[in-house]
Amino acid sequence: MLSRLVLTDYRNHAATTIAAAPGFVVLAGDNGAGKTNVLEAVSLLAPGRGLRRAALPAIARSDGPGGFGVAATLVSGDEVATGTLAAAPERRIVRINGATATANALAERLSILWLTPAMDRLFVEPASERRRFLDRLVLALAPGHAHHAARYEAAMRQRNRLLADDVPADPTWLAALEAAMAEHGAAIVAARRGAVDALNERLADAPGGFARAGLAIDGGEDDDLARRLGEGRRRDAAAGRTLAGPHRSDLIVTHLDKAQAAAISSTGEQKALLFGIVLAHAALVADRTGRPPVLLLDEVAAHLDPQRRTALFDVLSGVGQVWMTGTEPALFAGLPADAVQLRVDGGEIVAL
């Protein structure tokens, strides 16, 4: 969990400090007050570009010095560590207990998953969005997944540039890049498959109240990827991109109780499916790693009646640290008494 979060020159937060606690952390305030900015800052402690996928320069406070900082005190059992993320202005710098670390190092100490209103259309968006969602699930179970994904993408970008060049590329160099893609691609496929299999076991016994999801991976798996890439150079050069590999796969979600694709389920059913996946994943991460993930839930209670909100809070209790946002404090009236409830107003934080 995060026991303390400090934002410096982060979007509309000039200098914000939040003392958190196990369980619920609630951020209430008007639209545009800076609630989601706090969740985004936490999400950047995980590998990747955070819940908004924003470029680093866009995150820095508009009238600030040009960079920004996020510092978090992490508590796991008896271990306490300080993780910091800084951008100055376009380079991501990570430190753990003051020592410079790799961009993915915090994933070994902290698992983070989020749901935002923008994800409501996950099942009807392009496959790339579902792959990104799946990879976040995988990363919480296998932190090394980020390494393999980064190496795979780097090799693929180099291969694509060579194939697009007017000068014929060195076949030996192409073969080396394709071998690297095959090696890291196999690790990506294995990690994804393992996560999906484990989640399906959890989802089969999911508690009532949420639609049960079934997960499958479509495409992208190839036992001889290096050979296929070698044979497909002319095709890929003409297409301007690589047409084989795990970057072409899709996460297929089925509403098990109706035996129908999530993409054709109702909006409410899609939300329930997505939430059920996140809850199953949180329980799985807690069992596998001994440390529940931090859940970031943006505006999840906004459209629920009081009875359903209470049911939601009951389900979330005990799954780890849960950060939630909403426009009205009344939305969170059913939370336990020890929940941290804060008001956000123009980048300022006050206790409710």
Side-chain angles (χ1 to χ4, degrees):
M1 55 160 274
L2 280 69
S3 64
R4 188 167 183 263
L5 180 72
V6 179
L7 308 184
T8 304
D9 293 317
Y10 191 100
R11 294 200 186 269
N12 69 333
H13 293 271
T16 291
T17 299
I18 296 175
F24 294 97
V25 180
V26 170
L27 304 167
D30 295 338
N31 293 326
K35 308 183 299 297
T36 305
N37 293 343
V38 175
L39 298 193
E40 180 191 37
V42 176
S43 75
L44 285 174
L45 297 172
R49 296 173 60 181
L51 59 82
R52 284 192 177 113
R53 295 191 55 75
L56 294 178
I59 296 173
R61 190 163 59 94
S62 59
D63 53 350
F68 67 84
V70 179
T73 302
L74 315 177
V75 179
S76 179
D78 295 330
E79 182 183 4
V80 179
T82 300
T84 61
L85 165 69
E90 297 188 12
R91 189 165 69 93
R92 183 179 176 126
I93 303 167
V94 176
R95 293 187 177 90
I96 299 177
N97 293 332
T100 302
T102 66
N104 299 327
L106 286 171
E108 299 176 1
R109 299 170 179 262
L110 185 68
S111 300
I112 302 173
L113 192 66
W114 54 83
L115 287 179
T116 69
M119 294 172 64
D120 287 351
R121 292 179 51 80
L122 180 69
F123 302 124
V124 295
E125 291 284 352
S128 59
E129 296 301 316
R130 289 183 292 280
R131 280 196 304 274
R132 192 171 291 120
F133 173 70
L134 173 59
D135 283 338
R136 286 203 303 273
L137 301 180
V138 175
L139 184 61
L141 297 167
H145 184 65
H147 165 77
H148 291 293
R151 292 298 181 90
Y152 178 89
E153 291 288 339
M156 183 171 63
R157 285 195 299 270
Q158 290 185 58
R159 178 179 181 271
N160 288 343
R161 283 197 296 268
L162 289 174
L163 292 177
D165 202 327
D166 293 335
V167 179
D170 179 357
T172 302
W173 181 231
L174 280 173
L177 292 172
E178 289 158 358
M181 289 178 64
E183 175 189 350
H184 295 293
I188 291 170
V189 167
R192 286 175 176 171
R193 188 188 298 127
V196 164
D197 289 346
L199 278 169
N200 277 332
E201 290 183 14
R202 286 276 176 176
L203 289 163
D205 300 321
F210 295 97
R212 291 191 309 131
L215 311 181
I217 298 174
D218 180 35
E221 301 188 10
D222 196 321
D223 294 332
D224 199 2
L225 180 58
R227 180 185 61 81
R228 284 195 63 194
L229 292 171
E231 294 175 349
R233 291 173 187 172
R234 182 173 298 179
R235 174 203 61 196
D236 292 351
R241 62 189 186 279
T242 300
L243 297 176
H247 65 288
R248 303 282 293 176
S249 65
D250 194 0
L251 175 65
I252 305 300
V253 180
T254 302
H255 189 326
L256 292 178
D257 297 322
K258 288 192 171 183
Q260 70 179 20
I264 62 172
S265 298
S266 71
T267 301
E269 287 172 332
Q270 289 178 357
K271 289 184 178 181
L273 288 166
L274 186 57
F275 200 77
I277 293 170
V278 169
L279 287 178
H281 178 264
L284 180 60
V285 170
D287 284 352
R288 289 275 188 91
T289 67
R291 46 177 173 78
V294 173
L295 299 183
L296 310 177
L297 307 179
D298 196 17
E299 302 287 355
V300 294
H303 304 293
L304 300 178
D305 59 44
Q307 183 176 356
R308 291 184 184 276
R309 283 200 299 270
T310 299
L312 171 67
F313 300 153
D314 287 343
V315 170
L316 289 171
S317 295
V319 302
Q321 191 176 50
V322 182
W323 295 62
M324 296 190 294
T325 67
T327 54
E328 298 293 336
L331 292 171
F332 306 103
L335 287 178
D338 60 355
V340 175
Q341 300 204 40
L342 306 169
R343 172 167 285 282
V344 185
D345 185 6
E348 300 291 330
I349 304 284
V350 295
L352 287 172

